[in-house]
Amino acid sequence: MVTLAEVAQHAGVSASTVSYVLSGKRSISANTRQRVERSIRELGYHPNAGARALASSRSNIIALMIPLRTDMYVPVMMEIAIAVATTARTHGYDVLLLTGEEGPDAVRRVAGSGLADGMILMDVELDDERLPLLRATDQPSVLIGLPSDTTGLTCVDLDFRATGALCVEHLAKQGHQDVAVIGEAPAVYERHTGFAERTLDGLRSRARELGVRLLHRPCEGGYDAMAVTLARILDERPDTSGIIVQNESAVEPLLALLRQQGRAVPEDVSVVAICPDQVATQASVRLTSVSLPAQEMGRHAVEHLVAKLAGRGSDEVVLLAPELTVRSSTGPAPSRP
Amino acid sequence: MVTLAEVAQHAGVSASTVSYVLSGKRSISANTRQRVERSIRELGYHPNAGARALASSRSNIIALMIPLRTDMYVPVMMEIAIAVATTARTHGYDVLLLTGEEGPDAVRRVAGSGLADGMILMDVELDDERLPLLRATDQPSVLIGLPSDTTGLTCVDLDFRATGALCVEHLAKQGHQDVAVIGEAPAVYERHTGFAERTLDGLRSRARELGVRLLHRPCEGGYDAMAVTLARILDERPDTSGIIVQNESAVEPLLALLRQQGRAVPEDVSVVAICPDQVATQASVRLTSVSLPAQEMGRHAVEHLVAKLAGRGSDEVVLLAPELTVRSSTGPAPSRP
DNA sequence: ATAGGTTGTCGAAGCGCTTCGATACCTATT
DNA sequence: AATAGGTATCGAAGCGCTTCGACAACCTAT
């Protein structure tokens, strides 16, 4: 283990000089800087993280709390996590992975121990139990997701209300009057996950405005659950000509079932998905969809947090505008017989 | 920020006593222990991570390097990552998330800075460029995956060779003579990812032993790519009656295509998948499959690493035995006309 | 020639913890 | 009664770094 002192000695300067070369917090002559940098290279010096953290009371670590449950949006979570990690690195931060398991205690632990300088919380619920703690410890943080009360918080999320509205609009514009919404698993709604409720909100209010009849049904993923859900929907509203899906693992089963029943997409039924682009483009029908900008969310979250840590940046809610990409799963509503 | 010294003063003991209460490295009278613990609780004390790391030269952090690419096995990666994080916590460790992006440099940085006490590498390639470094720095580490040269390394992986063999056996036992293998994306093979090559190895050698004709074709995920691949396979080997898929995102497209072509599963074609159980059970046909024991791998990796860090544990290769679960996608081969 | 500013470097004081003797007391042994 | 061995506690030394104040050495403007 090479230490700062050894580098200093090797370069013939004092330890503090080396430190200032490293941090750039005081001006150093070009000559000295080069000598020091050379010594660093020759000795293979790496600053010791613990010592640094102790002396500067900054760990250069960002904590990322991801949900323990993997019942939804796994690839999206992963994409966000990776975006967070890579963006953080470009700002000189590393990422500590916390699972939801510990719950609020993790916030206490991380804030208390100075393990991380700030944290990013994913999968925030409308009334999340971690929020009071977050406010109390004034731990710099950014949420991915939107709780019901955002005072004193910085949040980044897709504008799901606008997303819902956008989906309905697209179908309405093509003449669809009866639209079914296939949602996330019931548990997601019971848990009051913000994005699910806000999507529904957007869907409903826009539908009301446009005179579209909307039928919302939660749905566990998978083929069997989808079969039951679809049957019920068509039973209740036989004239359904548009379907909006917000559940990755229901997408392909839905398409398979429609095909099996002889309902052509988009001739008989139009389908709009709210899902990652990858799912939309790889499905058996290229789906018209609103994509989940996972990377962008991760990047934004880190950048806001870094700004906060630098003393810049303020509490703020950033809602990313949804974009609907038209592919081949939507078309004009069939004329009623 | 409450410090050790403040706790000591509050409890009327010396700082070292508090430290020993916390670490249990020396015996402390029940009386003193209780007083100290009470003070800790009352003051809401949390040991400072940096100071601890500096003094003890242990960070209680495990680094987890996950691949940057998300072109395959995303849910599996996520499941492993979560298993690693939760298991690590039960041993008092936190997990630092490193993406493949930095490549070998990350190993150098983490090892050099003492940021982490040990590391777990995922997605290890047969001839991984991180391995020489790992050996050189004698950083305690565990690989998830199996490189070609494992000397001096600890590895955990599913026994993919046995997995391949098992799939062929299952089909052969049911009388299938012509079996097609739909593999990962070509890039995965070009990159010499261990698991893909070893699966192929197991498939081929067992097929040879059992006199089964095997045709292997890599396949990008998605419906379109699958359509092309399947057409080629059936063109080249019209008598194909068994299909083995090792590519999550090809599973559902494959089933859809077979259905569309009027080939019943399992009456006309038997399908065996190598994929997470969730995929196998949620597909439109409940798939006979060999599951990827993601959780178990994550758990194992952490436990080996923790053992190493504690001075116990040795270099060792652990191959988890595959388990084939028969569901409804396989049956006897159809009799030839 | 001198006061006032810069610029570049150093020394020393910690940051909050762990850990290694040293010490003091108590019980068991001879 | 003297000694050995435990048990419980303390004090002090450092872990490797950052950062602040001090101070030369130099430059510029009077």
Side-chain angles (χ1 to χ4, degrees), chain B residues 18-308:
Chain B
V18 177
S19 178
Y20 286 124
V21 167
L22 250 30
S23 68
K25 292 193 179 173
R26 282 200 184 171
S27 50
I28 295 287
S29 68
N31 182 351
T32 306
R33 161 177 286 105
Q34 280 164 20
R35 274 217 321 287
V36 170
E37 282 168 351
R38 192 152 155 270
S39 298
I40 289 178
R41 239 175 298 117
E42 285 183 12
L43 300 179
Y45 168 71
H46 282 272
N48 175 58
R52 205 167 234 200
L54 176 56
S56 65
S57 29
R58 283 175 138 286
S59 64
N60 283 300
I61 289 178
I62 290 174
L64 176 67
M65 272 187 91
I66 64 170
L68 188 61
R69 304 178 273 287
T70 50
D71 61 348
M72 58 173 216
Y73 280 157
V74 175
V76 177
M77 300 266 127
M78 187 79 174
E79 215 180 320
I80 293 179
I82 289 180
V84 165
T86 58
T87 310
R89 281 304 306 143
T90 71
H91 292 275
Y93 285 89
D94 272 297
V95 170
L96 199 74
L97 190 65
L98 303 175
T99 63
E101 194 194 33
E102 271 181 292
D105 286 348
V107 175
R108 219 176 269 118
R109 190 168 62 84
V110 168
S113 66
L115 229 189
D117 297 333
M119 50 195 314
I120 295 176
L121 307 193
M122 293 176 67
D123 195 39
V124 176
E125 295 174 22
L126 280 181
D127 195 10
D128 203 293
E129 56 180 340
R130 295 167 298 186
L131 301 185
L133 257 173
L134 221 52
R135 292 198 178 94
T137 59
D138 77 278
Q139 170 84 334
S141 61
V142 172
L143 315 189
I144 296 183
L146 207 55
S148 44
D149 177 10
T150 63
T151 53
L153 299 174
T154 299
C155 311
V156 175
D157 206 355
L158 175 62
D159 188 338
F160 279 97
R161 196 167 281 118
T163 300
L166 197 57
C167 292
V168 171
E169 262 166 46
H170 176 70
L171 290 175
K173 214 177 287 171
Q174 310 246 33
H176 297 273
Q177 307 266 340
D178 276 281
V179 171
V181 177
I182 294 165
E184 295 285 346
V188 174
Y189 296 94
E190 279 153 23
R191 182 197 306 154
H192 294 295
T193 311
F195 82 93
E197 304 210 344
R198 283 180 292 124
T199 308
L200 207 49
D201 222 62
L203 287 162
R204 286 193 174 135
S205 61
R206 203 90 185 93
R208 207 174 311 118
E209 287 169 28
L210 298 172
V212 169
R213 275 181 301 277
L214 209 65
L215 181 66
H216 169 256
R217 289 289 172 268
C219 180
E220 301 278 356
Y223 194 82
D224 297 343
M226 188 65 245
V228 174
T229 306
L230 184 61
R232 291 219 181 115
I233 288 172
L234 293 176
D235 187 50
E236 196 166 338
R237 297 272 174 89
D239 287 338
T240 298
S241 68
I243 297 181
I244 296 167
V245 211
Q246 181 175 213
N247 183 338
E248 281 179 50
S249 56
V251 165
E252 197 57 53
L254 172 64
L255 296 174
L257 285 159
L258 290 173
R259 215 177 290 126
Q260 195 177 308
Q261 301 183 0
R263 296 182 196 254
V265 173
E267 290 77 6
D268 302 324
V269 187
S270 286
V271 176
V272 179
I274 302 170
C275 68
D277 270 340
Q278 211 205 2
V279 173
T281 57
Q282 287 202 349
S284 50
V285 178
R286 314 195 131 252
L287 295 169
T288 295
S289 73
V290 175
S291 70
L292 295 164
Q295 303 226 26
E296 213 183 333
M297 277 162 54
R299 214 169 36 71
H300 261 86
V302 171
E303 272 158 10
H304 275 249
L305 185 54
V306 169
K308 271 188 163 183

Side-chain angles (χ1 to χ4, degrees), chain A residues 181-186 189 216-221 229 244-247 250:
Chain A
V181 177
I182 294 165
E184 295 285 347
Y189 296 93
H216 170 255
R217 287 290 172 267
C219 179
E220 302 279 358
T229 306
I244 296 168
V245 210
Q246 180 175 213
N247 183 336

Side-chain angles (χ1 to χ4, degrees), chain A residues 14 16-17 26-27 29 32 54-55:
Chain A
S14 76
S16 50
T17 300
R26 283 203 185 169
S27 51
S29 68
T32 307
L54 177 56

